[in-house]
């Protein structure tokens, strides 16, 4: 699947969602290998959508989006959607850390997602966080470098 087709369908979906959801639509952001340009032909397109309209329960979110997706065959086939209610988008998610390497904003009402990313970058700098690569070539974040007890934690932005 060519990125151009997926990206063009995303633009059309954005227009539909803006029309029907209005101010409730906060952000549509593409992340992952297709955005970074290192995708395989079978790679999916990772899409974050943040909206006031999404139900809190995860299973109900895709059902809410599905009627708007039906006319976009390629997105239905090749996209993976991360659907976040606005109130759940403020804490750091693992995919936010992955997005720091590259993301493409399709829509960002009042810089909503951009502000989240800037806060995360600032907080990671405060903590002295850095990326590291394991022997298998997988990258991961060391959030608190001097954490001698290796405790799990939630980073609040």
């Amino acid at each position: 699947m060519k990125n151009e087709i997926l990206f063009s369908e995303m633009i059309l979906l954005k227009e539909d969602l803006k029309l029907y959801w209005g101010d409730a639509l906060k952000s549509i952001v593409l992340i992952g290998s297709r955005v970074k340009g290192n995708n395989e032909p079978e790679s999916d397109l990772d899409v974050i959508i943040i909206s006031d309209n999404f139900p809190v329960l995860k299973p109900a979110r895709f059902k809410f989006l599905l009627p708007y997706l039906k006319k976009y065959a390629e997105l239905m086939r090749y996209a993976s959607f991360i659907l976040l209610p606005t109130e759940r988008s403020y804490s750091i998610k693992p995919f936010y850390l992955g997005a720091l390497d590259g993301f493409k904003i399709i829509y960002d009402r009042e810089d909503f997602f951009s502000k989240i990313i800037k806060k995360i970058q600032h907080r990671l700098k405060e903590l002295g966080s850095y990326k590291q690569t394991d022997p298998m070539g997988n990258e991961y974040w060391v959030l608190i470098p001097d954490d001698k007890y290796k405790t799990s934690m939630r980073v609040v932005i």
Side-chain angles (χ1 to χ4, degrees):
M1 169 54 44
K2 294 197 180 229
N3 287 344
E4 298 81 29
I5 296 170
L6 288 171
F7 293 163
S8 66
E9 282 197 358
M10 274 308 312
I11 298 299
L12 295 172
L13 176 62
K14 171 196 73 167
E15 294 305 321
D16 283 352
L17 295 181
K18 279 174 51 181
L19 177 67
Y20 293 109
W21 294 358
D23 292 349
L25 179 63
K26 300 300 182 195
S27 299
I28 301 174
V29 182
L30 309 180
I31 62 173
S33 61
R34 285 196 179 269
V35 173
K36 295 176 194 173
N38 60 354
N39 60 290
E40 300 293 328
E42 68 279 358
S43 296
D44 62 353
L45 175 65
D46 301 301
V47 181
I48 300 171
I49 301 179
I50 302 171
S51 175
D52 293 338
N53 287 344
F54 288 132
V56 174
L57 297 175
K58 283 183 183 181
R61 293 180 203 162
F62 190 74
K63 286 182 185 176
F64 188 82
L65 181 65
L66 191 57
Y68 304 98
L69 282 178
K70 287 185 178 181
K71 65 182 177 180
Y72 302 109
E74 299 306 316
L75 282 178
M76 289 286 291
R77 187 171 174 195
Y78 289 101
S80 294
F81 291 91
I82 301 165
L83 309 175
L84 291 174
T86 304
E87 68 273 9
R88 299 246 170 138
S89 65
Y90 295 106
S91 62
I92 291 183
K93 312 283 186 236
F95 50 84
Y96 285 174
L97 295 175
L100 294 174
D101 289 337
F103 58 90
K104 180 179 178 74
I105 293 177
I106 300 297
Y107 179 75
D108 202 21
R109 181 173 177 73
E110 298 175 359
D111 296 325
F112 185 85
F113 187 78
S114 297
K115 289 175 185 174
I116 289 173
I117 290 294
K118 285 178 185 167
K119 285 180 182 180
I120 291 170
Q121 289 169 328
H122 176 75
R123 187 67 175 128
L124 291 173
K125 186 175 181 180
E126 279 182 341
L127 292 170
S129 304
Y130 59 90
K131 281 179 69 172
Q132 194 162 321
T133 305
D134 69 17
M136 302 275 301
N138 301 307
E139 293 182 333
Y140 62 95
W141 279 89
V142 177
L143 295 176
I144 303 179
D146 59 353
D147 185 10
K148 64 182 176 184
Y149 300 108
K150 305 294 184 228
T151 56
S152 61
M153 55 164 275
R154 185 176 186 182
V155 177
V156 178
I157 57 172

